[in-house]
């Protein structure tokens, strides 16, 4: 299993390739707010662990293992954003909250959250009931 840091890199690389068709060291460094030398070291580790193929000065390509993991990480991020929106977390807090929790949840917990979101999707009245309960509890506090 990749470390949380490896996950951040894989997620960023996957998103860049989806958006631009390629991922450069400078783009990865900028997106993750790290030095290019740190990116190079991590790319070499991801290459060694077969998440990508890296050729110095020529770029990188995600392996099928890397694509699968990158896609899964992006989907996890979106799922957690959707969950926090659903339960009424203020929009300005969502990105930072997702960044704070995404590496600390098991895939089992992620699956349970996904099921809960589907539960609420199937009946819009459930979302309304949840929001009404939150308003009620907020007014009691």
């Amino acid at each position: 299993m990749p470390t949380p840091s490896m996950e951040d890199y894989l997620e960023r690389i996957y998103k860049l390739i989806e958006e631009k068709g390629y991922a450069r060291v400078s783009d990865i460094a900028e997106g993750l707010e790290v030095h290019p030398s740190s990116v190079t070291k991590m790319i070499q580790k991801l290459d060694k662990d077969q998440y990508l193929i890296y050729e110095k000065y020529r770029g990188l390509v995600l392996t099928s293992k890397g694509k699968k993991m990158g896609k899964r990480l992006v989907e996890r991020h979106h799922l957690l954003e959707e969950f926090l929106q659903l339960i009424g977390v203020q929009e300005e807090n969502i990105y930072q909250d997702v960044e704070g929790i995404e590496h600390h949840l098991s895939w089992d917990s992620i699956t349970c959250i996904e099921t809960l979101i589907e539960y609420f999707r199937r009946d819009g009245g459930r979302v309304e009931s949840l929001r009404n309960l939150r308003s009620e509890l907020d007014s009691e506090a």
Side-chain angles (χ1 to χ4, degrees):
M1 281 304 279
T3 65
S5 181
M6 291 168 75
E7 286 183 349
D8 286 339
Y9 279 85
L10 282 169
E11 183 179 356
R12 186 70 194 137
I13 291 166
Y14 181 86
K15 285 167 82 173
L16 283 167
I17 291 173
E18 287 292 301
E19 293 165 8
K20 300 170 104 175
Y22 59 89
R24 295 183 312 200
V25 168
S26 59
D27 295 328
I28 299 165
E30 181 182 326
L32 295 175
E33 299 178 355
V34 297
H35 293 289
S37 60
S38 298
V39 174
T40 301
K41 286 178 189 170
M42 181 58 79
I43 286 174
Q44 290 167 344
K45 178 156 182 42
L46 292 169
D47 180 63
K48 180 178 166 273
D49 291 349
Q50 301 177 344
Y51 287 103
L52 55 81
I53 298 167
Y54 175 64
E55 294 181 30
K56 196 171 183 179
Y57 306 116
R58 299 195 77 199
L60 60 91
V61 177
L62 287 171
T63 62
S64 60
K65 176 182 174 181
K67 285 179 190 171
K68 183 179 176 183
M69 181 57 73
K71 182 177 185 203
R72 190 174 183 197
L73 295 168
V74 168
E75 289 171 349
R76 174 183 72 185
H77 191 99
H78 291 306
L79 179 78
L80 291 172
E81 283 181 345
E82 185 178 357
F83 174 66
L84 294 180
Q85 288 168 343
L86 180 80
I87 62 172
V89 173
Q90 294 177 7
E91 200 64 39
E92 62 268 15
N93 296 328
I94 290 177
Y95 180 80
Q96 201 62 36
D97 287 352
V98 169
E99 288 297 311
I101 65 174
E102 67 184 337
H103 301 297
H104 301 285
L105 293 174
S106 68
W107 287 104
D108 180 49
S109 293
I110 297 296
T111 301
C112 291
I113 290 170
E114 189 172 32
T115 303
L116 183 61
I117 289 171
E118 184 58 30
Y119 171 80
F120 281 105
R121 272 192 194 132
R122 291 187 180 191
D123 182 350
R126 294 173 181 151
V127 174
E128 187 177 336
S129 294
L130 177 66
R131 293 199 172 132
N132 289 340
L133 177 60
R134 179 161 186 217
S135 293
E136 185 181 313
L137 293 172
D138 285 347
S139 65
E140 290 175 6

